[in-house]
Amino acid sequence: MPELPDIEAYLVALRERTLGATLTDLRILSPFLLRTFDPPYDALINHKVTSLHRLGKRVVLEFDNTPPLFAVIHLMISGRFT
């Protein structure tokens, strides 16, 4: 998988910035990026990132919700984090 080094680089950079951090805001700029309606995406707000890992070409952020919720971001989109 030629994308593996890119995904691993994203994970290293994101771990430094996000592990233990609380998500305070979330903007979805395009409804085509969102693949859920239940639970709503704003269920992640005010929860901490507890883990980051890779699932194929995707970056997975795990949150401290009960039960745990995940944000899964495809490599194509991950270069657009702001």
Side-chain angles (χ1 to χ4, degrees):
M1 175 184 325
E3 301 86 3
L4 184 59
D6 292 345
I7 296 170
E8 291 300 327
Y10 283 128
L11 289 174
V12 168
L14 286 170
R15 281 186 186 112
E16 295 173 3
R17 293 166 172 83
T18 62
L19 276 181
T22 300
L23 182 69
T24 58
D25 190 25
L26 182 61
R27 275 186 317 161
I28 304 295
L29 298 178
S30 171
F32 299 108
L33 300 177
L34 193 60
R35 298 288 187 245
T36 186
F37 66 93
D38 185 31
Y41 70 89
D42 59 359
L44 299 174
I45 295 175
N46 295 321
H47 287 278
K48 290 185 179 183
V49 177
T50 58
S51 174
L52 277 100
H53 54 275
R54 177 182 70 79
L55 179 64
K57 295 180 182 180
R58 295 164 182 84
V59 173
V60 180
L61 290 86
E62 183 175 349
F63 290 84
D64 66 352
N65 303 57
T66 304
L69 294 180
F70 302 87
V72 181
I73 302 146
H74 192 276
L75 178 63
M76 180 181 79
I77 304 302
S78 61
R80 300 178 188 163
F81 290 130
T82 58

